[in-house]
Amino acid sequence: MNVPHPIALKPRKAPVQARSAAKVEGITEATIQVLLAEGPRRLTTTRAAQRAGVSVGTMYQYFPHKEALLYDVLRRHLEAVAQAVEAASARYRGQPLATMTDGLVNRYIDAKTARADASRALYLVASELDTTALMGRLRERIRTATIALLGSAADAEFDDIETAAFTLLAAMTGTLRTMFEQDTTPAHVHALRTQLTLMCQAYLEKATRPMR
Amino acid sequence: MNVPHPIALKPRKAPVQARSAAKVEGITEATIQVLLAEGPRRLTTTRAAQRAGVSVGTMYQYFPHKEALLYDVLRRHLEAVAQAVEAASARYRGQPLATMTDGLVNRYIDAKTARADASRALYLVASELDTTALMGRLRERIRTATIALLGSAADAEFDDIETAAFTLLAAMTGTLRTMFEQDTTPAHVHALRTQLTLMCQAYLEKATRPMR
DNA sequence: ACCTGAACACCGTTCAAGT
DNA sequence: ACCTGAACACCGTTCAAGT
C-alpha cells in the first residue's frame, strides 16, 4: 500500500542524545550528497542509508519516509531565508525607501545563494514534497516582516501596503527561482542584484506617495 | 534496470492514422484527468492507460515512458505561451514603451491563465520531467521576441537591452509562477495584472534613455 | 500489424529476528 | 533499546503470446 495522506513530515523521534543527533545529521548530509552526485532519479532510501553508513531500517527510525529526508533540508534553508528577511526588516527600519529596498533585496539574495548547491538541488525535488504548510508558515513570516519594514519608511507612504508587499515578494522570490533553474554564474547573480534592486525601487516609488 | 539517460521524450511513433491520433489524444487527456482527480502520487502508467481504455502495453507503443505523457502536455502549454509572446511582439512593435509593456504583460498572463488547471497541475510534476532542452528552446524564442519588441520602442533606447529583457522575463515568469503555486483567485490575478504591469513599466523606464 | 497482461527489476516501507 | 535486512506491496517497463 501507498503512504496514506496526510503525511507527517517531522522526524519520527526527537534526537535527544548526542549520538542520535549526529546520526540524523549524517543521514541528512548523505541525502544531499546522493542527490547532488547521482541526481534525483537515483536518490533512493537504500542509497541514502548506505551512504550514511546505516541500514534502511535504522533510517526509518529517524525519518518516517523518503519525503522527510528532503523536507528537513528544505525547512532549514527556508528558515534561514525567513530569518534573513526578518533581520533586514529590523536593520533597515525607518530608513528611506530606496535604502531599505536595496538592503532587503541584497540580504534576500545573500540568503538564497548562501548554500546555492543545496537549494538548487532542492528545486529539483521540491515538487515531490508536500510543502504547502511549510511554505505557508514561512511566507507569512516573510510577509509580516516586509510589511513592517515598508510601513516604517521615512520618506514614503503606501496606498495599499499589502498589495505592494505581495507583489514585491512575488517578484523577488520568482526572479531568484527563475535564475536558479537556469545556469547560474556569479556574473549573473551580480547583474541580478543590481537589476532586481532597481526594479523593486522603481516599483515601490510608483506605489507610494512621497512624505515631506 | 532504470531508464538510461538521456531520455527520448518524443512519442515512439508518429500518429499517422486518424485512429492513432485519437488514441494519443485520449491517453494525454486521461493523464491530465488522473493527475487532477487523484493527484501526482496516484498517477501511474497503469491507471492512465486504464482511464484511456487501453492496456499498458499499448500505451508504451505511443509513449516511451511515463515522463513522455506529461512532457507532451507541458510542451503544448509552453508553446502556446511562446506563441502569445511572439504575437504580442509583432502586435505592439514600434509603440511607446509603456504601451508595449502593458500589452506584453497582459498577453503573457492571458496565455498562462488560459488553461490554469492544467498548468497548475503541471507545476506539481514539472520537476519529475527533464525539461532542460524544452525550456531552453522556448525561453530562447521568448527572449528573441522580447528583445525585438523592446528594441522597437518609439520613445526609448536601452543601454543594455539583453540584461533588461532577461530581468523583465525573469520577473514576469517568476511572479506568475509564485502566484500559481499559492491559491489563485480571479481577484488575485486581476490585481497582479495591474501591479506587474506597473512594476515592469517602472523598471524599463529606469533602464532606458528617453528619445526626442 | 496491433494489442494484451503476466513477468521482471526495481523502489518505499515494515517487522521478525538478532545484539 | 537499538539495529539489521529479507519480505511485502507496489511501480515502470518489456515481450511472448494472442488476434
Side-chain angles (χ1 to χ4, degrees), chain B residues 138-173:
Chain B
L138 288 165
R139 188 154 38 221
E140 188 52 32
R141 272 176 64 183
I142 289 173
R143 200 183 76 89
T144 303
T146 303
I147 289 175
L149 178 64
L150 294 180
S152 76
D155 58 349
E157 255 175 351
F158 285 82
D159 289 320
D160 182 351
I161 198 168
E162 312 252 329
T163 299
F166 173 82
T167 307
L168 181 73
L169 290 172
M172 278 170 55
T173 60

Side-chain angles (χ1 to χ4, degrees), chain A residues 171-209:
Chain A
M172 280 171 53
T173 60
T175 304
L176 264 284
R177 179 173 191 150
T178 298
M179 193 190 59
F180 268 116
E181 279 174 349
Q182 302 176 228
D183 292 323
T184 321
T185 64
H188 258 101
V189 176
H190 184 76
L192 204 76
R193 274 186 198 272
T194 311
Q195 299 300 310
L196 189 56
T197 302
L198 190 65
M199 176 180 281
C200 292
Q201 284 173 341
Y203 168 66
L204 291 179
E205 267 174 44
K206 297 256 181 178
T208 50
R209 301 184 301 278

